[in-house]
Amino acid sequence: MFRDDLLRDERILVTGGGGDLGRAMAARFLDLGASVVLCGRSPERLDAALAAPAIARHAERATALPCDLRDPAAVAAMMERIWQDGPLTVLVNNAAANFIAQTERLSARAADAILGPSLHGALYATLEAGRRWIDAGDRGTVLSILSTSARTGRAFTAPSEMAKAGLEAMTKSLAVEWGPKGIRMVAIAPGAFETETAARQLRPGAGDGDEGGFAGLAEWIPDGRLGRTDELADLAAFLLSGPAAHITGETIAIDGGAHLRSSGAEDLLRWPQEKWDAVRQRR
Ligand SMILES: CCCCCCCCCCC/C=C/C(=O)SCCNC(=O)CCNC(=O)[C@H](O)C(C)(C)COP(=O)(O)OP(=O)(O)OC[C@H]1O[C@@H](n2cnc3c(N)ncnc32)[C@H](O)[C@@H]1OP(=O)(O)O
Ligand SMILES: NC(=O)C1=CN([C@@H]2O[C@H](COP(=O)(O)OP(=O)(O)OC[C@H]3O[C@@H](n4cnc5c(N)ncnc54)[C@H](OP(=O)(O)O)[C@@H]3O)[C@@H](O)[C@H]2O)C=CC1
């Protein structure tokens, strides 16, 4: 589909690179010639990502740095370390946290557990990369992974929707402010992709024969299926490539048209209180 050297000149930081979608994007960027740095909190998850065959076969161009994006000093230190080996050309804001809950029962700590990495962490990383690009007169691109719910809102995941809508506002605002400085801001809004964490956090089984997972969502999706990680990775690669140079401030949805029909909370809106109580107890 793409030329093998499409991203040859790119050096890309993928936050949450130990997670399913981050890992899939990193592998695709490596296939297309880029150098990639992965970050996340868990060194074990990062090591597992580096050892995965799709990444390990490009080992000379893949590295990882543990970093908790909720800590601005840790983000600054990570960027300093990365820049010691040369500038990034691309930041992919992919790391996030999310879980379903009745919003009125969220503690302040629970809300911050979601807003911290998903909104603040992405902003800290964008500021650290952006100011380095601007100071050096370098070009750069920020790709943020949002969610279709930045457009629709979604019941029972309000803090995550607030974070993703905030990142969409950042994408549009900085496209204008930083565009003249050579920085491009783009975003992808995925619909449902059955990654291990998303299925566990967003559709936990609640007993009584309910297996959980995303399978039941497909009936709401106009093309009848969930997204595939390779489709997301290809869209990301295109948005980072030369042919996309005139696209900025834009968010592309990849969801089979699902958000035009539903925010994806129809099943949750029918849950009885006992089911919410059961899920809350099992967390
Ligand atoms: C028609 C179809 C349309 C399409 C539908 C699409 C549907 C999919 C849309 C998906 C959009 C986005 C998805 C994602 O982002 S998936 C990625 C999820 N990945 C992660 O969450 C990874 C990171 N996760 C974590 O780090 C943790 O799971 C956690 C989020 C819990 C944060 O961990 P942390 O260690 O920081 O937090 P603590 O365990 O210390 O807890 C902090 C407080 O939060 C409370 N808490 C934790 N879990 C829950 C819960 N499940 N419910 C309520 N409250 C929770 C916890 O009790 C702490 O609060 P207190 O101290 O007050 O008790
Ligand atoms: N799967 C889906 O259906 C959808 C996903 N998305 C978005 O796609 C992106 C990837 O999701 P997905 O691959 O499914 O989820 P994962 O949970 O697999 O990936 C999220 C990654 O973020 C990292 N992370 C979380 N908190 C922090 C933190 N404080 N500092 C650094 N890293 C952190 C986690 O690593 P660690 O725990 O090691 O820190 C994890 O690897 C997210 O932005 C998500 O919101 C959007 C719509 C739908």
Side-chain angles (χ1 to χ4, degrees), residues 62 106-107 152 157 243:
L106 286 175
S107 68
T152 60
T157 48

Side-chain angles (χ1 to χ4, degrees), residues 207-282:
D208 299 329
D210 183 342
E211 299 300 326
F214 274 10
L217 290 175
E219 71 172 287
W220 293 94
I221 303 177
D223 71 3
R225 66 171 175 86
L226 303 179
R228 295 198 316 258
T229 55
D230 60 303
E231 294 173 319
L232 181 93
D234 278 338
L235 175 58
F238 167 70
L239 285 173
L240 300 184
S241 71
H246 201 47
I247 301 176
T248 193
E250 197 56 57
T251 299
I252 314 285
I254 175 166
D255 72 338
H259 75 284
L260 301 172
R261 181 170 176 192
S262 164
S263 71
E266 314 301 331
D267 53 338
L268 301 178
L269 286 161
R270 290 194 297 268
W271 275 20
Q273 187 58 45
E274 304 78 62
K275 192 156 172 176
W276 284 110
D277 292 343
V279 164
R280 188 178 163 86
Q281 280 220 312
R282 285 179 24 193

